[in-house]
Amino acid sequence: EIVMTQSPAMLSVSPGERATLSCRASQSVSSNLAWYQQKPGQAPRLLIYGASARASGIPARFSGSGSGTDFTLTISSLQSEDFAVYYCQQYHNWPPFSFGQGTRLEIK
Amino acid sequence: EVQLVESGGGLVQTGRSLRLSCTASGFTFGDYAMSWVRQAPGKGLEWVAFIRNKTYGGTTEYAASVKGRFTISRDDSKSIAYLQMNSLKTEDTAVYYCTREDIEVVPGAVSGQYYFYYYMDVWGKGTTVTVSS
């Protein structure tokens, strides 16, 4: 089973600044990695798939990069609506589909 | 509008059963694989079960934590996915989300070989299951 590890667990960033979230896989997942955003009381929403492709309707300030075992989600200029929990998930070697434990992005 | 609506959650005692439903609209349900993902209170996301569409055999996969107790199924004529949950445990308490799986098919190195990569592109709002002893 592939284990996904996200860092940091919590990140405090000021609006307008850049946020960088990391995700590491215990073995290579090629580019088969997705990022999801979850706001309090809401369902997760797909942001990025294929490690770097933005899902439909996702603003350009969200970008994904990486391949193999190390991945990054970058939010270039944080808006108030971006403060949420972010999860990475691998879909390369499954079952099971495995998620990271999440990074909580908070307002500084 | 593409939409998934879960129903069937509730309060149930340990050892009992519950069936969740996921009603899809706004897309051709039979063209897609589907999954269930759960989230225990204050915790992260855990994939639970997956069902392929009929084109790829309609076969199923399960997380180790629910294998043998949960069954995922689908009724393409009604655009509904189900999750039958038996022998429920307190640790099954969670919000259960239904997800649509988009697919990327990648040719392998050998002729006629293909790899299938699924990711969860649409999520329902979830239904809450509480298992009490």
Side-chain angles (χ1 to χ4, degrees):
Chain A
E1 175 178 343
I2 297 178
V3 177
M4 307 301 293
T5 302
Q6 293 185 240
S7 61
M10 187 180 303
L11 183 62
S12 296
V13 182
S14 300
E17 294 191 339
R18 174 189 298 257
T20 302
L21 289 66
S22 296
C23 175
R24 175 166 289 178
S26 60
Q27 62 189 79
S28 177
V29 299
S30 185
S31 294
N32 298 308
L33 182 108
W35 289 93
Y36 302 90
Q37 176 194 65
Q38 186 177 34
K39 298 179 181 179
Q42 296 187 17
R45 174 176 72 146
L46 176 67
L47 296 176
I48 300 287
Y49 64 95
S52 61
R54 272 190 304 277
S56 176
I58 301 303
R61 64 180 181 273
F62 290 90
S63 63
S65 63
S67 66
T69 60
D70 291 301
F71 301 87
T72 300
L73 175 69
T74 301
I75 311 171
S76 60
S77 178
L78 278 163
Q79 308 296 305
S80 57
E81 62 266 30
D82 300 335
F83 293 95
V85 178
Y86 292 83
Y87 295 94
C88 63
Q89 179 235 328
Q90 70 84 19
Y91 52 94
H92 181 72
N93 190 346
W94 61 278
F97 296 102
S98 42
F99 291 89
Q101 80 280 18
T103 291
R104 183 179 302 275
L105 182 57
E106 296 192 335
I107 300 175
K108 188 173 182 179
Chain B
E1 180 192 5
V2 173
Q3 198 171 11
L4 300 172
V5 178
E6 302 93 337
S7 59
L11 175 63
V12 63
Q13 288 186 316
T14 54
R16 304 297 291 265
S17 298
L18 207 58
R19 188 178 80 160
L20 306 183
S21 299
C22 168
T23 302
S25 59
F27 64 99
T28 303
F29 181 75
D31 287 349
Y32 289 87
M34 302 295 293
S35 275
W36 288 91
V37 174
R38 68 185 179 184
Q39 186 170 37
K43 302 298 184 181
L45 302 169
E46 179 190 16
W47 166 76
V48 172
F50 169 92
I51 185 166
R52 294 171 179 82
N53 68 354
K54 294 294 194 289
T55 299
Y56 295 110
T59 50
T60 58
E61 310 286 351
Y62 296 94
S65 58
V66 306
K67 199 167 188 178
R69 299 189 299 123
F70 289 13
T71 302
I72 187 172
S73 61
R74 62 190 299 153
D75 185 337
D76 290 352
S77 68
K78 296 181 179 178
S79 298
I80 299 178
Y82 299 101
L83 186 67
Q84 177 67 42
M85 305 186 296
N86 298 332
S87 303
L88 281 161
K89 306 176 181 181
T90 55
E91 52 264 41
D92 295 320
T93 294
V95 176
Y96 284 73
Y97 297 103
C98 172
T99 73
R100 187 181 81 170
E101 298 275 356
D102 205 349
I103 185 174
E104 180 183 6
V105 182
V106 177
V110 176
S111 177
Q113 180 186 53
Y114 295 92
Y115 295 98
F116 301 91
Y117 299 110
Y118 293 92
Y119 56 92
M120 301 163 190
D121 71 333
V122 178
W123 294 62
K125 295 186 186 306
T127 187
T128 300
V129 173
T130 304
V131 184
S132 172
S133 57

